[in-house]
Every structure is written in C-alpha cells, then in structure tokens.
Amino acid sequence: MKYILGAYATAPVTETWQPEVQEEYLNGIKQLQNLRGLEHPFTGELHAHDDDWFLRNIDPEWDFVFTGVPGVMGRLGKNAAFGIASDDEAGRAEGVEFYRQMHAAVLKLNKHLGRNAVEAVQLHTSPNRTAAQSSVASLKRSLEEITSWDWSGANLVIEHCDAFVEGLKPEKGFLSVQEEIDCLLEMNQDREQKLGICINWGRSALETRSVEGPLEHLRLVREAGLLRGLMYSGISDVETPYGVWRDTHMPPAEVFEGGQFAEGSLLTREQLALTLEAADWQKLDYLGAKIGVRPTDLDAASRVAYNRDCLAALDLVTK
C-alpha cells in the first residue's frame, strides 16, 4: 500500500524561508518507499515561497492532493466571514476566488509534470460559525461555480473539519458532516463526476471529543456513498506538548517498539484498525496521514523518522 502524506505539517520550522533546510527534509521524505505522493498546502500560490523551487524538488512520480485549509485559516484571521459556505456575499465570493487561484495552481503543476498528477482537491466549508453565519444553500451556490471549471481530472472533495457544536469551543467551527452530505447528495444527482468527502481522524475526534466520532462520521459518509479519502492525524484528551483537544496533527500512540510516536495520543493501533475497517479502506481513492512534531526544533532526519514510522504503522494494520 502507498500513502498520501501531509509532509508540510512536519516540515522544519524556521524564522525565514531557508530552501536548503527544506530541501534536506524533502530529500528524506523521498526515501519513503510506501509514499504515493503529498497532500499539498495551498495558501494563494502553488508554493508559499517559491514555485520554481517546489517544482524542482518534488518527485515527478508523486501524486498530489491539494488542501486549502492553511490558506482558509489565514484568510479567516483577516475576514471572519470568509468561505464558500458563508452567508455573507462578499465573504462567499472571496472564498470562491481563493479556489479559483487554487485551480490555476493545479493546472500549473499538472502542466509541469506533463500529466494529471493532482488526484483530488480538498475544499473546506468555512467560515467559523462562532463568528459568522453559514449554510448549505451558500455552499451549494459556491460549489456550482467551482465545479464548472475544468479541474483536469482532479476530484473535488470536502475535507470535513470539526463543526460548530453548542457549548464547545471549536478549532474550525465549519458545517456539520450531515450538512455536507446533504449538499453533495443534492448536487451529485445531476453530475457525472461526483463530489465526495474526506475524513480526517483527528478533526472528527476533536469535534465529538471522542474516538467514536471518526467511526460515526465514516459510517455516515460511507453509507451516503460519498467517502473518498481518509487522512490520519492524532489528538489527545490529556495535557501533552500537542495540547488537549487541539488540531495540532499529533502522531499516533506507540504502534511498535522503538518507533517515533506520541505518548497520550488517542490514535492507537486499535483505532487505526477500527477506522480502516469502517472506511472499507481498500475502496478509498486515497489514504494517508498528516502529523506534526514536538519539540518544534527537531532536525530534518527526526522529522522524516516520525513520518516513516507513522506510515509503517499503517502498513502493519493494512496487511
């Protein structure tokens, strides 16, 4: 099995853009034999610092899944009404324009590689409902425009993030998984290329404050015929360097002795097995992981090792 890896979440943290440091890390990632490709973060350009550097340093055989969440969160910090599900018309239009920019980046990468290398584009149903109003109707309007563009074979997928839940402080506070399902089922009735949903384990656990949450979300999405991807990030319910119930992409708990894992993570070997079964993982378009590391000053080799062992853990459970 080969996986999609959100390697950007583990990339070295430096005060300024240091391409040589990032290149050392990426060269290590290239050595992972069970790597299919990258979940690639979009913030407004193909690469946040240097498109040409990025195109020179990726493996030309990699497949890509684009995620807009880093750019979405950055824009929400400036405009609380930003997003494709926003009931504020200016905020919704800004959200659509963001994905238009992503569309251009997808085409640029495909052109460079000479093939349709971008398998999926992950959309996010912002804004945060604690600060602005959103709805299925607004999301549908945005998707009708976004789906009218030629995405060169890339599937459009909503990555479900933690939804607004009364009485809880959300990290994202986007639409509920049921609202996303309802919207896509309605839209898919008249579409040849079906829209889908990706579940991120840590974000579903965060929303529900429970390891049962990812299982329930997977069941709902799969029964609706919309499940396309499953990405693993961990989370903790106790005080750790990754925080308590924080979307910090915590690695899994120890799956095998001697590996690089995270004590206190709720993402155990048992939860990996349960959710893979619930997802019917062999039928997914893509499967993978996105983890962060602590402390933040780890060297490139240590960062690669965390990713290596996370994917090795998936290998053990999928065999």
Side-chain angles (χ1 to χ4, degrees), residues 76-120:
L76 282 171
K78 300 174 183 177
N79 175 11
F82 168 88
I84 57 173
S86 180
D87 289 340
D88 177 86
E89 185 54 31
R92 191 187 69 79
E94 188 181 341
V96 172
E97 178 58 29
F98 171 75
Y99 286 108
R100 191 185 299 277
Q101 294 166 1
M102 184 189 286
H103 175 258
V106 167
L107 298 186
K108 182 174 183 177
L109 177 56
N110 283 343
K111 181 178 180 181
H112 172 79
L113 295 175
R115 60 187 177 91
N116 291 344
V118 181
E119 175 171 334

Side-chain angles (χ1 to χ4, degrees), residues 4 19-20 24 48 82-83 93 152 162 188 195 224 252 272 277 285:
I4 295 294
E20 66 282 357
E24 179 188 0
F82 168 88
S152 297
D162 68 293
N188 281 348
L195 299 163
L272 287 171
E277 181 180 5
D285 290 345

Side-chain angles (χ1 to χ4, degrees), residues 286-300:
Y286 58 96
L287 172 67
K290 173 168 59 182
I291 60 171
V293 292
R294 300 290 186 275
T296 58
D297 60 354
L298 287 178
D299 61 20

Side-chain angles (χ1 to χ4, degrees), residues 196-250:
I197 293 176
C198 172
I199 294 298
N200 177 290
W201 191 93
R203 288 172 176 159
S204 289
L206 169 62
E207 175 184 325
T208 60
R209 302 297 197 269
S210 167
V211 295
E212 300 300 321
L215 291 167
E216 176 64 11
H217 288 175
L218 286 167
R219 183 186 66 78
L220 287 170
V221 176
R222 183 181 166 195
E223 288 180 356
L226 295 171
L227 188 60
R228 303 290 182 266
L230 172 59
M231 295 292 289
Y232 283 104
S233 294
I235 204 161
S236 183
D237 60 350
V238 297
E239 189 58 59
T240 72
Y242 297 86
V244 182
W245 295 121
R246 294 296 309 277
D247 188 13
T248 52
H249 314 305
M250 190 176 190

Side-chain angles (χ1 to χ4, degrees), residues 18 72 75 86 116 129 169 179 189 203-204 231 249-250 259 285 293 303 310 315:
Q18 296 183 25
V72 167
R75 283 159 177 75
S86 180
N116 291 344
R129 280 179 158 167
K169 182 180 180 182
E179 287 173 308
Q189 290 178 6
R203 288 172 176 159
S204 289
M231 295 292 289
H249 314 305
M250 190 176 190
D285 290 345
V293 292
R303 292 167 180 273
C310 182
D315 274 344

